[in-house]
Amino acid sequence: MVNSSKQTTGPGTSQNTQNDGGSAAAAARTGGGQIVLAATPIGNMGDATNRLIGLLETADVIAAEDTRRLHRLVSALKITTSGRIISYHEHNEATRTADLLEMVRGGATLLMVTDAGMPAVSDPGFRLVEAAAREGLTVTAAPGPSAVLTALALSGLPTDRFCFEGFLPRKAGERSARLAELAGERRTMVFFEAPHRLEPMLRALDAAFGGDRRAAVARELTKLHEQVLRAPLRELLEWAEASEVRGEIAVVVAGAGEAAPELPEDHVAAVNGLVAQGARLKDAVATVAEDARISKRELYSAVLAARG
């Protein structure tokens, strides 16, 4: 049965208290500039940190994935910005990165924000950090909300080892090839997906990993209609087929279990194959045992038992 947990409380509000955003900007003006990657709320505005608010108010330049979303965020927080606002997204990263770096070289504090969550994690920002690191420019972060970590923590799946796979390829063939590479992945896996593509994604996961593999679908995290469904992949697929799925989606999938230990009996056929090709039984056993990393004596006994 699909196990669902649902949030019933609405978004919170945030108070603007004393913060260190202004001091960071002042330090940058007196010395070299800096880039600050700042996490923004993934849904609930109450998750905006005091540090984020201070940086929004005082940064010399704000590079935003979507300036309209930035203005909505600023309005919801009831604050005002004082710096220059520049759009910075996947379609202009290549051309705009050089301009942003020039501002930082000139002493500016550049605040990088995306629509939600942490910049550079399946969002713009990586190219900027990579280029800044090559030049030795200062890059720091104001951490905060993360859809990846929130979905992982709520999934009920192992969290000691995990990997983030982002969005799977849209084309069926490329998606199947990617999942074939991940079929033996032992770590818990976190994916993002659009609601209208969730059903084919779950079908592909079912085919690649098996319908019994444990998983969770997290939608609208931290928002009013937050929902986390925990069930085997086959049940989640059936739910998606019968539902009109909406909202932002994260899918968490358990890693592959440990393979059953190999038994000597599993390699008897390989020994007999070498013998049929002319090898002595003793030599065939030694070759197969070394390749399979099993006991020669146990394999020899298994061969004799099969023949008896």
Side-chain angles (χ1 to χ4, degrees), residues 69-303:
R69 292 282 291 268
L70 172 63
H71 287 305
R72 287 199 291 270
L73 172 64
V74 168
S75 177
L77 296 176
K78 299 180 180 179
I79 60 175
T80 57
T81 60
S82 58
R84 179 182 176 188
I85 296 176
I86 298 176
S87 66
Y88 187 73
H89 46 74
E90 61 177 333
H91 302 297
N92 68 9
E93 276 185 290
T95 57
R96 194 149 286 179
T97 296
D99 294 335
L100 296 180
L101 293 179
E102 184 62 31
M103 297 176 190
V104 176
R105 292 190 207 101
T109 288
L110 169 64
L111 180 65
M112 173 77 226
V113 295
T114 57
D115 292 346
M118 194 70 195
V121 181
S122 196
D123 268 331
F126 165 73
R127 191 186 297 268
L128 179 64
V129 174
E130 182 184 38
R134 282 198 302 265
E135 293 192 30
L137 297 175
T138 299
V139 183
T140 187
S146 165
V148 177
L149 296 181
T150 303
L152 176 68
L154 293 177
S155 69
L157 298 173
T159 59
D160 54 334
R161 297 180 66 219
F162 70 94
C163 58
F164 174 55
E165 289 293 327
F167 287 90
L168 288 171
R170 296 187 182 186
K171 294 183 179 179
E174 295 177 2
R175 183 171 56 219
S176 296
R178 176 74 59 78
L179 291 176
E181 296 175 357
L182 295 172
E185 174 60 63
R186 299 282 297 279
R187 295 171 294 179
T188 300
M189 294 165 280
V190 184
F191 303 88
F192 286 164
E193 192 52 276
H196 63 281
R197 291 198 299 269
L198 179 62
E199 182 182 332
M201 178 212 190
L202 291 173
R203 185 172 291 107
L205 289 171
D206 183 314
F209 299 161
D212 293 334
R213 183 78 70 92
R214 291 192 302 155
V217 172
R219 54 178 296 273
E220 295 293 87
L221 289 172
T222 77
K223 298 179 182 177
L224 179 62
H225 299 292
E226 175 183 289
Q227 185 178 31
V228 181
L229 300 112
R230 308 173 186 90
L233 281 170
R234 183 66 49 80
E235 292 184 30
L236 291 173
L237 173 58
E238 293 171 354
W239 165 78
E241 290 173 335
S243 306
E244 183 180 357
V245 183
R246 297 180 178 178
E248 296 178 335
I249 304 289
V251 178
V252 188
V253 183
E258 292 189 22
E262 293 188 342
L263 301 175
E265 291 80 359
D266 298 333
H267 301 278
V268 169
V271 172
N272 290 334
L274 291 178
V275 171
Q277 295 173 21
R280 294 192 308 164
L281 176 59
K282 183 177 180 180
D283 294 336
V285 167
T287 298
V288 173
E290 182 178 0
D291 290 342
R293 296 183 179 181
I294 58 177
S295 166
K296 288 189 293 183
R297 182 166 49 185
E298 292 179 0
L299 178 56
Y300 189 83
S301 298
V303 172

